[in-house]
Amino acid sequence: MAVASARHILVKTKAEAEKLKQRLAQGEDFGKLAKKYSQCNSAKRGGELGEIRPGQMVKAFDNVVFRKKVLEIHGPVKTQFGFHLIQTIFRT
């Protein structure tokens, strides 16, 4: 069965997610931005979600983690929780 490790930053608006994505593109630290801005409980771990399997997260999130390029920052991805910036660390 597939397994992946991912981290994310969850914010309320698409505009906020876009701003953070630009900051990441300029080299700012993902973990620090997650700790400061993410609305998810994972914020205290720098956005780290640990190992996840298909079906554990909502579909839009799963599609990024299990289908998009590893180590790239994807998003904003809209879910019922808000807007995510997602980075898959590894996938097997």
Side-chain angles (χ1 to χ4, degrees), residues 57-70:
M57 309 301 272
V58 294
K59 193 172 187 341
F61 202 99
D62 256 16
N63 286 344
V64 171
V65 173
F66 293 100
R67 296 193 178 141
K68 304 273 187 184
K69 281 190 174 172
V70 172

Side-chain angles (χ1 to χ4, degrees), residues 9-26 28 33 73-78 83-85:
I9 298 173
L10 172 65
V11 292
K12 289 194 181 342
T13 67
K14 186 174 184 179
E16 195 177 355
E18 294 284 6
K19 279 185 198 155
L20 289 171
K21 191 170 186 179
Q22 286 175 348
R23 290 174 65 176
L24 290 165
Q26 291 163 0
E28 286 198 52
L33 290 178
I73 294 167
H74 301 282
V77 175
K78 187 177 185 340
F83 293 86
H84 306 258
L85 295 177

Side-chain angles (χ1 to χ4, degrees), residues 8 10 38-45 48:
H8 78 136
L10 172 65
S38 185
Q39 310 278 307
C40 180
N41 289 338
S42 67
K44 59 183 169 282
R45 298 185 303 276
E48 297 284 342

